[in-house]
Amino acid sequence: MIALVVTVVTGLGVGVLVGEIYAPTGAPDAADPTAQAPSGSASDGGFSLVPRLSAPMNVLVMATDVTYTYKGGRRVLGLTGNTDTMVLARFDPANGQVRALSIPRDTRVPIPDHGIFKINAANPYGGPALSARVVADFLGVQVDRYVLLNTRAVVLIVDALGGIDLFVPKRMYYNDWSGGLHINLQKGWNHLDGQQAHNFLRFRHDELGDIGRVQRQQAFVQAVMKTFLTPVNLMKTPQLLEVAKENLETNLTSDELLRLVTMGKDLDRDRVQLAMVPGVATSIDGVSYWVADEAAKQRVVDRFLLAQQAGEARAPSAYRIAIRDGVGDRDAVRALRGRVRQLGYGSVDLDGLAPQLGLDETQIIAQNADVAGAQRLAEELGVGKVVVAATGNIYADYTVVLGRDWAQRPPASPR
């Protein structure tokens, strides 16, 4: 969704620049704390033809499930459903980064005037403004703006980009004849069109339930970023503008759109970092929830989202490590596990084969955005690119995905 928002924002912004018609919502309502615009001048270094983002902006990105409404006498997809996707993205111009925090849709939260519910119910109760208020209260941060998309926006934008190349981690087959949902995707690399990408995101038969969907959402973000950030696709803004008009609701103003465009057009996908609100899946009164770990959530907000604290690397024995084989070499896995244990990490579990084999560079996935410890582990191993994402083992602090760089040149260590 972050990649889609960068895409849509760029399309809208360029549309404004060339005189396309776009109706902004106007100035933010001062009475609404979730609608306060970030401060900053319209110029960068004295004079600029295009205004630049000069202060961080927190944008809540949401995508609804399938709900219908009537417009002009015809039945169309609406924007009033539960939010299957909720991501708070922080656009930070100081370091040219976008840090995105996924909020599982089953997260248990209080919704003002309604009681305790899953966080995805806030949109049906009060629209995107209420969702922004709930997220702001839950995370303890300001939500400057929101963008709400429906499922048709996903389909049309991916098609406008010419499809995406995405690794499907397992065979996905499902038919919902009453709902008109038919999913048939093969395991492995696939070039997905818009409808197939939509199906990849909506598939629900994961071992990890809602968290499996969050992990697929983040893999989707990475794939779309890789596709979008090319000169050819950056030029496809008129189509994206048309998509946005019918399938998107936002309180971003035209000026703010232009500010995000100037940042988004130069954004490298390695500058997009992804994390997830930590917690545990549980059942309360027969209802399944994701219950946040409050202490861990605060660390993720402070150290990752807001980058206000550097983070302190704990003693190795305090970390839980999962090792995932990315090359299909059991001997290399045993050598890596022995080396990690030798370094003093007490809990080192094997996590099986990676969904995608043939990884060139070993990855250290910082599941809970604790980068300091991940960087130390990479230095101690002598290999490993630190990746901030929620695609690792959800029960581990770090998931080390073994690549060819380790398998071909393993350090001397007991097997």
Side-chain angles (χ1 to χ4, degrees), residues 96-112:
Q97 285 188 339
V98 176
R99 294 185 293 276
L101 184 60
S102 293
I103 306 168
R105 63 176 189 159
D106 290 344
T107 300
R108 192 170 189 263
V109 296
I111 299 178

PDB file of all heavy atoms in Angstrom, residues 96-112:
ATOM      1  N   GLY A  96      15.441  11.186   3.734  1.00  0.00           N
ATOM      2  CA  GLY A  96      14.916  10.600   2.505  1.00  0.00           C
ATOM      3  C   GLY A  96      14.338   9.213   2.686  1.00  0.00           C
ATOM      4  O   GLY A  96      14.391   8.387   1.786  1.00  0.00           O
ATOM      5  N   GLN A  97      13.754   8.943   3.849  1.00  0.00           N
ATOM      6  CA  GLN A  97      13.219   7.622   4.153  1.00  0.00           C
ATOM      7  C   GLN A  97      11.701   7.647   4.283  1.00  0.00           C
ATOM      8  O   GLN A  97      11.111   8.662   4.630  1.00  0.00           O
ATOM      9  CB  GLN A  97      13.804   7.078   5.457  1.00  0.00           C
ATOM     10  CG  GLN A  97      15.234   6.585   5.363  1.00  0.00           C
ATOM     11  CD  GLN A  97      15.661   5.892   6.640  1.00  0.00           C
ATOM     12  OE1 GLN A  97      15.090   6.097   7.700  1.00  0.00           O
ATOM     13  NE2 GLN A  97      16.699   5.072   6.547  1.00  0.00           N
ATOM     14  N   VAL A  98      11.113   6.482   4.017  1.00  0.00           N
ATOM     15  CA  VAL A  98       9.722   6.219   4.372  1.00  0.00           C
ATOM     16  C   VAL A  98       9.732   5.024   5.308  1.00  0.00           C
ATOM     17  O   VAL A  98      10.189   3.943   4.944  1.00  0.00           O
ATOM     18  CB  VAL A  98       8.846   5.916   3.139  1.00  0.00           C
ATOM     19  CG1 VAL A  98       7.429   5.563   3.578  1.00  0.00           C
ATOM     20  CG2 VAL A  98       8.816   7.099   2.195  1.00  0.00           C
ATOM     21  N   ARG A  99       9.270   5.229   6.538  1.00  0.00           N
ATOM     22  CA  ARG A  99       9.192   4.146   7.511  1.00  0.00           C
ATOM     23  C   ARG A  99       7.719   3.819   7.716  1.00  0.00           C
ATOM     24  O   ARG A  99       6.926   4.690   8.093  1.00  0.00           O
ATOM     25  CB  ARG A  99       9.868   4.547   8.827  1.00  0.00           C
ATOM     26  CG  ARG A  99      11.367   4.746   8.670  1.00  0.00           C
ATOM     27  CD  ARG A  99      12.035   5.021  10.000  1.00  0.00           C
ATOM     28  NE  ARG A  99      11.636   6.295  10.572  1.00  0.00           N
ATOM     29  CZ  ARG A  99      12.186   7.461  10.269  1.00  0.00           C
ATOM     30  NH1 ARG A  99      13.166   7.508   9.383  1.00  0.00           N
ATOM     31  NH2 ARG A  99      11.770   8.564  10.840  1.00  0.00           N
ATOM     32  N   ALA A 100       7.360   2.571   7.472  1.00  0.00           N
ATOM     33  CA  ALA A 100       5.953   2.167   7.459  1.00  0.00           C
ATOM     34  C   ALA A 100       5.699   1.120   8.528  1.00  0.00           C
ATOM     35  O   ALA A 100       6.386   0.097   8.587  1.00  0.00           O
ATOM     36  CB  ALA A 100       5.582   1.621   6.083  1.00  0.00           C
ATOM     37  N   LEU A 101       4.697   1.375   9.363  1.00  0.00           N
ATOM     38  CA  LEU A 101       4.341   0.476  10.446  1.00  0.00           C
ATOM     39  C   LEU A 101       2.982  -0.155  10.145  1.00  0.00           C
ATOM     40  O   LEU A 101       1.957   0.531  10.127  1.00  0.00           O
ATOM     41  CB  LEU A 101       4.293   1.234  11.772  1.00  0.00           C
ATOM     42  CG  LEU A 101       4.020   0.401  13.032  1.00  0.00           C
ATOM     43  CD1 LEU A 101       5.094  -0.657  13.225  1.00  0.00           C
ATOM     44  CD2 LEU A 101       3.930   1.300  14.259  1.00  0.00           C
ATOM     45  N   SER A 102       2.983  -1.472   9.905  1.00  0.00           N
ATOM     46  CA  SER A 102       1.739  -2.193   9.637  1.00  0.00           C
ATOM     47  C   SER A 102       0.996  -2.453  10.946  1.00  0.00           C
ATOM     48  O   SER A 102       1.596  -2.851  11.942  1.00  0.00           O
ATOM     49  CB  SER A 102       2.029  -3.531   8.951  1.00  0.00           C
ATOM     50  OG  SER A 102       2.537  -3.341   7.659  1.00  0.00           O
ATOM     51  N   ILE A 103      -0.306  -2.226  10.919  1.00  0.00           N
ATOM     52  CA  ILE A 103      -1.164  -2.494  12.073  1.00  0.00           C
ATOM     53  C   ILE A 103      -2.110  -3.624  11.685  1.00  0.00           C
ATOM     54  O   ILE A 103      -2.969  -3.440  10.815  1.00  0.00           O
ATOM     55  CB  ILE A 103      -1.973  -1.237  12.463  1.00  0.00           C
ATOM     56  CG1 ILE A 103      -1.042  -0.039  12.668  1.00  0.00           C
ATOM     57  CG2 ILE A 103      -2.805  -1.500  13.716  1.00  0.00           C
ATOM     58  CD1 ILE A 103      -1.767   1.289  12.771  1.00  0.00           C
ATOM     59  N   PRO A 104      -1.942  -4.817  12.261  1.00  0.00           N
ATOM     60  CA  PRO A 104      -2.839  -5.926  11.905  1.00  0.00           C
ATOM     61  C   PRO A 104      -4.301  -5.531  12.075  1.00  0.00           C
ATOM     62  O   PRO A 104      -4.679  -4.868  13.038  1.00  0.00           O
ATOM     63  CB  PRO A 104      -2.438  -7.028  12.892  1.00  0.00           C
ATOM     64  CG  PRO A 104      -0.997  -6.740  13.195  1.00  0.00           C
ATOM     65  CD  PRO A 104      -0.909  -5.240  13.225  1.00  0.00           C
ATOM     66  N   ARG A 105      -5.123  -5.937  11.147  1.00  0.00           N
ATOM     67  CA  ARG A 105      -6.522  -5.503  11.135  1.00  0.00           C
ATOM     68  C   ARG A 105      -7.304  -6.011  12.346  1.00  0.00           C
ATOM     69  O   ARG A 105      -8.331  -5.451  12.719  1.00  0.00           O
ATOM     70  CB  ARG A 105      -7.208  -5.966   9.858  1.00  0.00           C
ATOM     71  CG  ARG A 105      -7.276  -7.478   9.731  1.00  0.00           C
ATOM     72  CD  ARG A 105      -8.040  -7.913   8.513  1.00  0.00           C
ATOM     73  NE  ARG A 105      -8.246  -9.356   8.554  1.00  0.00           N
ATOM     74  CZ  ARG A 105      -9.188  -9.983   7.872  1.00  0.00           C
ATOM     75  NH1 ARG A 105     -10.005  -9.288   7.106  1.00  0.00           N
ATOM     76  NH2 ARG A 105      -9.305 -11.288   7.949  1.00  0.00           N
ATOM     77  N   ASP A 106      -6.816  -7.108  12.983  1.00  0.00           N
ATOM     78  CA  ASP A 106      -7.502  -7.667  14.152  1.00  0.00           C
ATOM     79  C   ASP A 106      -7.033  -7.055  15.470  1.00  0.00           C
ATOM     80  O   ASP A 106      -7.412  -7.538  16.541  1.00  0.00           O
ATOM     81  CB  ASP A 106      -7.288  -9.189  14.212  1.00  0.00           C
ATOM     82  CG  ASP A 106      -8.039  -9.923  13.109  1.00  0.00           C
ATOM     83  OD1 ASP A 106      -8.935  -9.319  12.503  1.00  0.00           O
ATOM     84  OD2 ASP A 106      -7.716 -11.097  12.851  1.00  0.00           O
ATOM     85  N   THR A 107      -6.214  -6.002  15.402  1.00  0.00           N
ATOM     86  CA  THR A 107      -5.687  -5.394  16.618  1.00  0.00           C
ATOM     87  C   THR A 107      -6.828  -4.907  17.512  1.00  0.00           C
ATOM     88  O   THR A 107      -7.737  -4.197  17.066  1.00  0.00           O
ATOM     89  CB  THR A 107      -4.756  -4.220  16.270  1.00  0.00           C
ATOM     90  OG1 THR A 107      -3.673  -4.717  15.462  1.00  0.00           O
ATOM     91  CG2 THR A 107      -4.189  -3.580  17.525  1.00  0.00           C
ATOM     92  N   ARG A 108      -6.759  -5.282  18.790  1.00  0.00           N
ATOM     93  CA  ARG A 108      -7.818  -4.955  19.749  1.00  0.00           C
ATOM     94  C   ARG A 108      -7.590  -3.555  20.313  1.00  0.00           C
ATOM     95  O   ARG A 108      -6.564  -3.284  20.942  1.00  0.00           O
ATOM     96  CB  ARG A 108      -7.828  -5.988  20.885  1.00  0.00           C
ATOM     97  CG  ARG A 108      -9.047  -5.940  21.808  1.00  0.00           C
ATOM     98  CD  ARG A 108      -9.038  -7.152  22.722  1.00  0.00           C
ATOM     99  NE  ARG A 108     -10.285  -7.262  23.487  1.00  0.00           N
ATOM    100  CZ  ARG A 108     -10.429  -6.822  24.733  1.00  0.00           C
ATOM    101  NH1 ARG A 108      -9.409  -6.263  25.370  1.00  0.00           N
ATOM    102  NH2 ARG A 108     -11.588  -6.953  25.363  1.00  0.00           N
ATOM    103  N   VAL A 109      -8.552  -2.665  20.094  1.00  0.00           N
ATOM    104  CA  VAL A 109      -8.421  -1.273  20.519  1.00  0.00           C
ATOM    105  C   VAL A 109      -9.780  -0.728  20.963  1.00  0.00           C
ATOM    106  O   VAL A 109     -10.824  -1.241  20.557  1.00  0.00           O
ATOM    107  CB  VAL A 109      -7.897  -0.365  19.379  1.00  0.00           C
ATOM    108  CG1 VAL A 109      -6.499  -0.747  18.951  1.00  0.00           C
ATOM    109  CG2 VAL A 109      -8.862  -0.390  18.198  1.00  0.00           C
ATOM    110  N   PRO A 110      -9.773   0.331  21.773  1.00  0.00           N
ATOM    111  CA  PRO A 110     -11.027   1.035  22.052  1.00  0.00           C
ATOM    112  C   PRO A 110     -11.359   1.974  20.901  1.00  0.00           C
ATOM    113  O   PRO A 110     -10.491   2.695  20.404  1.00  0.00           O
ATOM    114  CB  PRO A 110     -10.714   1.815  23.332  1.00  0.00           C
ATOM    115  CG  PRO A 110      -9.239   1.998  23.329  1.00  0.00           C
ATOM    116  CD  PRO A 110      -8.662   0.813  22.614  1.00  0.00           C
ATOM    117  N   ILE A 111     -12.610   1.964  20.474  1.00  0.00           N
ATOM    118  CA  ILE A 111     -13.089   2.899  19.457  1.00  0.00           C
ATOM    119  C   ILE A 111     -14.054   3.857  20.138  1.00  0.00           C
ATOM    120  O   ILE A 111     -15.075   3.426  20.700  1.00  0.00           O
ATOM    121  CB  ILE A 111     -13.788   2.151  18.300  1.00  0.00           C
ATOM    122  CG1 ILE A 111     -12.782   1.201  17.617  1.00  0.00           C
ATOM    123  CG2 ILE A 111     -14.366   3.134  17.286  1.00  0.00           C
ATOM    124  CD1 ILE A 111     -13.376   0.381  16.494  1.00  0.00           C
ATOM    125  N   PRO A 112     -13.754   5.146  20.166  1.00  0.00           N
ATOM    126  CA  PRO A 112     -14.582   6.115  20.891  1.00  0.00           C
ATOM    127  C   PRO A 112     -16.071   5.984  20.576  1.00  0.00           C
ATOM    128  O   PRO A 112     -16.468   5.881  19.412  1.00  0.00           O
ATOM    129  CB  PRO A 112     -14.023   7.468  20.426  1.00  0.00           C
ATOM    130  CG  PRO A 112     -12.600   7.180  20.071  1.00  0.00           C
ATOM    131  CD  PRO A 112     -12.604   5.794  19.500  1.00  0.00           C
TER     132      PRO A 112
END
